[in-house]
Amino acid sequence: MRPDLARTITTVAAVGGVVAFTVVASAPIGNAAARPSSAYAVSADGQFPIAKTPYAESPDGKRRTTSALELPKNPLISVRAGNATAGNDSASVELFDVVVGPDILSQVKLPPELKQSCANLPAQGADDLPIPDLPLPDLGLPLPKLSTKDLPVKNLPDLCNLLLTPPSSLLGIDSVNVWCSGDEGGVDIGALTLLGQRIALPTTKQGATIPAAPLATITVNDQAKRTDGSFTITGLTIDLGGGTQVIRLASATCSKPAPHPTPKPTHPPTTEPPQLNEPPAATPPTPVKTHQPVTG
């Protein structure tokens, strides 16, 4: 092999070794958590989006708590107080006095015929009077077109009472408390009222729903386990208008902080470059003494 060709092959092999070592050394560490533990009290997606507020996050496993509850001005929701806490594979939320759709029916004016029917309710037998099907005005929320038939009332006296003395909200919630530890969690919910009427919670088991269509669909204790090892539990998910507006109340995510790998060298140890096989240097000839015959 020619000397120049031998040098080229040796150099390429050495550079290739450095590149291969660098790629392997910088490969990501497996089995690391993709998200930290976190918690928030309120969020909303749809016509009136609301960022996660207040929001707490613990990327390193240290306990962090926040109660800075500042919702943007909106006609959708108001909250009196909320606390969010996140730590090492644990999280919790406390939420108090939630109002969805404040004063939603205060803008409804009774049609003259309905107003007259309400004023002339008989002393007896009024509970058997049918509910008239009258359209309701736009209530300023992402809801479908509604009529008096869609309201949660049983008879004409109930309808008259609801419209003449409207409740303070579409939905009222006294409190929502949520916690998680590892891949387990729990939910505690206070009294719920829909247009001033108490809603009985049949259960707080995972994924239970309270259909109040078409006004709202409420999911209790929504849980999710992810492939990265994290676990999320959400106290209440309120769906308005068939997904047009979704409100999430009291959500906690539990996860262990990602490990910090020991830095590895990004360059191979310094070694002496390989020595090429050079041809041996020529040895000078050794003079040989000889005797020549003497002539003369």
Side-chain angles (χ1 to χ4, degrees):
M1 182 181 294
R2 295 197 306 263
D4 292 342
L5 181 58
R7 292 191 186 93
T8 302
I9 294 174
T10 303
T11 303
V12 170
V15 172
V18 172
V19 172
F21 183 91
T22 303
V23 170
V24 172
S26 61
I29 304 299
N31 300 323
R35 71 191 74 215
S37 291
S38 61
Y40 65 86
V42 180
S43 76
D45 299 317
Q47 184 175 342
F48 303 103
I50 297 176
K52 298 175 181 179
T53 307
Y55 179 74
E57 183 177 286
S58 175
D60 54 5
K62 295 181 179 179
R63 181 183 174 90
R64 288 175 170 80
T65 299
T66 179
S67 57
L69 181 57
E70 295 182 4
L71 297 181
K73 187 177 181 180
N74 69 90
L76 179 67
I77 187 171
S78 66
V79 180
R80 180 174 65 85
N83 300 311
T85 300
N88 184 12
D89 210 12
S90 64
S92 62
V93 182
E94 296 176 321
L95 189 57
F96 303 98
D97 293 343
V98 181
V99 175
V100 178
D103 300 321
I104 188 174
L105 292 182
S106 61
Q107 57 187 303
V108 177
K109 298 184 181 300
L110 271 68
E113 61 272 23
L114 179 58
K115 192 173 183 178
Q116 183 176 359
S117 297
C118 291
N120 297 325
L121 288 175
Q124 295 181 348
D127 292 348
D128 297 328
L129 294 176
I131 300 171
D133 190 3
L134 302 174
L136 294 176
D138 183 5
L139 300 177
L141 293 178
L143 293 170
K145 292 183 178 180
L146 301 174
S147 74
T148 51
K149 288 284 189 179
D150 297 317
L151 298 176
V153 294
K154 298 178 180 179
N155 48 43
L156 182 58
D158 282 351
L159 177 64
C160 294
N161 182 61
L162 180 64
L163 295 180
L164 290 173
T165 56
S168 59
S169 65
L170 168 65
L171 185 66
I173 307 164
D174 283 354
S175 63
V176 186
N177 297 323
V178 167
W179 63 270
C180 68
S181 179
D183 59 356
E184 296 181 342
V187 174
D188 181 31
I189 299 173
L192 272 72
T193 57
L194 178 67
L195 290 178
Q197 298 187 22
R198 180 75 175 264
I199 301 177
L201 275 177
T203 179
T204 56
K205 71 178 183 180
Q206 177 182 352
T209 59
I210 307 171
L215 297 178
T217 300
I218 305 170
T219 302
V220 181
N221 193 358
D222 187 20
Q223 298 184 14
K225 294 182 180 180
R226 298 180 177 85
T227 56
D228 61 16
S230 62
F231 170 76
T232 297
I233 179 170
T234 303
L236 290 175
T237 302
I238 304 168
D239 185 342
L240 302 176
T244 305
Q245 183 76 49
V246 178
I247 304 169
R248 295 176 180 85
L249 301 177
S251 183
T253 295
C254 285
S255 179
K256 294 180 180 179
H260 298 283
T262 302
K264 293 186 177 181
T266 56
H267 299 287
T270 303
T271 57
E272 293 294 332
Q275 300 295 326
L276 299 179
N277 294 328
E278 298 289 348
T283 303
T286 303
V288 179
K289 294 181 180 182
T290 59
H291 298 280
Q292 297 293 332
V294 178
T295 61

